[in-house]
Amino acid sequence: MGKAKRSISFKIISTGIILMMTLMLLIYYISYVIFGQNIQKVINLQTNEISRQIVYNYENYIGRIIDVSNLCQVNINNVDVEDTKEDLINGFQNIVNLEPSIIGVALYSLDGKCLVASDEATIGEFLTKEEYWFKEAIKDESIHIFSGLNESSNGSYIVTFSKYVSYNNQEDDAVLKIILDIDSLIELVYKTNLGAGGHITIIDSDYNLIYSSNTKSTDAEIKILKNLVFGTQKVKDNGYSLMVNLDTISNTQWRIATFINIDQIESSEDNFLFIITIILIGSIAISILLLLSTTKTITSPLKQLENEMLNIEKADYLVVKEINFDNGKEVANLSRSFNKMMKKIKELMDKIIVEQNEQRKSELKALQHQINPHFLYNTLDSTIWLIENQKNEDASKMIVALSKFFRISISRGNNIISVSDEIEHAKNYLLIQSIRYSKSFDYEFEIEEECLKYHTMKLILQPIIENAIYHGLKNKIDKGHIKIKVFKENETLAISVSDNGYGMRQEKINELYENFKNPSLKDGVGLKNIYQRLLIYFSGNAQLLIESKLDFGTTITVMFPPIEGGSV
C-alpha cells in the first residue's frame, strides 16, 4: 500500500511546530550558553578576587616579617655582637613589642649557640642542629625559610622564620630566628566568605600539608592540587561544588589553595534553566493554538476549491475550462492560477508533440550519420583491394562484418536494442576498421555478465570507437589499442571506450563539453549526437564523460539508467 497522504493542515501545523521548536530550542540553547558563560565568568572573577585578596594578606604579612629580618640584619651586620649585646637585646625586645605577631627574635651561631635573643633566658643555650629552620637556612643562604605550622602550649599557631646572616663586620655568620604567631592571619580566612565547605589549604613545594582551615582535608585534596599545579579548577568535595584556585606565596616555598563554594551561583543557573523551560513550553503551546486557528482559515476555502477541481479531474484535462471563485482573495488568486496552469498544460502538450518529432528527426540524423555513403564506399573499396591482392579470407570477413553491421544498424526500425546486439555491432565495426588499417590496432572487450540482460539505445559505441580511431590512433606510430567496457555502477549502466592514443588537453575537453550544449558549434559532431540523443531518451538522466591525458590516451564513458527490455 502507498504511503498515506497528509492534509495541508497537518503539513502546515507540523511544519510550523518543527520550525517554532527549532527556533525556540535555538534561542533556548543560545540563552543557556550565554548565561552559562556569564555564570562561569562571575565564578572565575569571584574566585580570583577572593584568592587574590587572601594571597595579598599573606604576602603583605610575610613582607613585614622580611622587613623586620632586613632591619635585624642591618643592626648586626657591622657590630661586634658581644660588645653590643645589651643594645641588640633591647632592639629585639622592641621588635617583639612593636609587632604583635612576633613572639621572639634570636641570633644563633653556626654551631647552634644562642648569641642574642629577645628572651634573655635563652641566651647561651645550644640547640640541636637538626632543627628544620636552622638546617634549611644554612643550606640555602639566599632565601627566607618558613617552617611548617606548629601549635603552641596556649593553642596558638606559630611559624618559625629563619635567615642566614652575617655579623661582626661580616666576619662571622649566624642564623636569625623569628618566631611568629599567625593566629591573626588565620582569622582573616574565617572573616572571608568562602561559603559552606570553603576553606584554604597551605602546602609546601613537596605538597606536604602546612595548614588547612578544613579539618577534613584528605589525601584526595592533595591529589587535586597536584593535578592543578597552578590556576583554577572546579571540584566536588564533601557534597559541595567548589572552585579551587592555587597560587604561590611570594618569598616562600609555600602555595596556598583557596576553596570557594559556588553552589549558590550554580543554583541560579538551574533556576534559569527551569524558567526558560517553562517559557519554551508555554510559547510552543500558544503557537500551536495560533497555527490551528490560522490553518482552519486557510484550508476551509481550499476545500471548496478542491471539490471543483475534482469535477475537472473527471473530464478530459486537455479541455481548457476556466473556473472562477470569489471566496476570498487567496482562493481567487488560486483559481486564476489554476486557469493559467490549464492553458500552460495545453501549451506544454503541444510542445511535447513538437519535441517528439524533433527527437525522431535527431534519431534519423544519427542513423544517417552512421550509415553514410563515404563509410560504405571506403569499406567496399577496401574489400576490392583485398580481393585483388588475393586476401580473400580478410575480404570475406569484411563483407560478413559489413552485412551484420548494417543489419544491426537498421534493427527493424527499433531505437532500443539489447546490450549484446550493441556489442556485436561494435565488434563488426572494429573488425572492418582493423582490416582496413592493416591491423594497426587491436581491441578487447570487458563485459560484465549481468549487463547482457539489459537493453540500450542503439548506435552508442560505434561513433565513440570511430572517434577513438580517427582522432586517437590514426596517425599513431606504435600499435594502437582500444578497450571497450560495459559494467554496472550502482544503479547505472556504464559503457566506456578507452584508447592509448595521443590524448587531449583539459582545455579541449572543456571545449567539447561546451559544444555539446551549443547547437551552432560543429566540433565533436559524433559525440554531440550521442549526448543529445541521451538527453532526449532519458530526460536528462544520463551522462557523457571525457577523461584524457596527453600521450596516454582518452576514455569516453556513457552512463544511463539500464533498460530492462522491450523496443522503442
Side-chain angles (χ1 to χ4, degrees), residues 106-161:
L107 183 68
Y108 286 83
S109 64
L110 297 185
D111 60 1
K113 180 182 178 181
C114 180
L115 301 176
V116 184
S118 58
D119 181 8
E120 297 182 35
T122 62
I123 297 175
E125 291 185 356
F126 283 86
L127 52 80
T128 63
K129 297 182 181 181
E130 298 303 316
E131 294 283 349
Y132 174 83
W133 60 268
F134 188 79
K135 288 192 307 179
E136 292 298 317
I138 296 175
K139 184 186 299 183
D140 193 340
E141 302 176 9
S142 63
I143 65 174
H144 305 87
I145 303 300
F146 288 83
S147 68
L149 266 67
N150 295 297
E151 193 170 357
S152 65
S153 58
N154 61 2
S156 298
Y157 287 102
I158 61 173
V159 171
T160 301
F161 170 90

Side-chain angles (χ1 to χ4, degrees), residues 146-267:
F146 288 83
S147 68
L149 266 67
N150 295 297
E151 193 170 357
S152 65
S153 58
N154 61 2
S156 298
Y157 287 102
I158 61 173
V159 171
T160 301
F161 170 90
S162 59
K163 179 71 172 66
Y164 193 92
V165 296
S166 299
Y167 68 98
N168 290 346
N169 296 316
Q170 299 185 358
E171 292 181 1
D172 296 313
D173 297 320
V175 175
L176 178 67
K177 173 185 178 184
I178 301 176
I179 302 174
L180 307 172
D181 181 349
I182 63 168
D183 278 357
S184 59
L185 195 61
I186 291 175
E187 288 177 3
L188 290 175
V189 176
Y190 295 105
K191 292 179 180 179
T192 304
N193 184 18
L194 301 179
H199 62 280
I200 68 160
T201 297
I202 301 175
I203 57 175
D204 62 17
S205 58
D206 296 323
Y207 292 95
N208 296 313
L209 182 64
I210 301 297
Y211 168 77
S212 178
S213 60
N214 179 18
T215 57
K216 298 181 180 179
S217 291
T218 62
D219 292 338
E221 184 175 297
I222 299 298
K223 185 177 180 181
I224 291 172
L225 299 181
K226 286 182 178 180
N227 293 332
L228 180 57
V229 183
F230 286 106
T232 304
Q233 179 179 321
K234 179 181 176 181
V235 298
K236 283 285 187 179
D237 184 43
N238 296 322
Y240 297 113
S241 292
L242 304 172
M243 286 296 289
V244 54
N245 189 83
L246 186 60
D247 287 297
T248 297
I249 302 176
S250 300
N251 299 310
T252 72
Q253 294 177 311
W254 292 351
R255 279 184 282 179
I256 182 168
T258 309
F259 292 80
I260 302 172
N261 187 296
I262 57 172
D263 283 334
Q264 186 174 1
I265 298 177
E266 288 192 334
S267 66

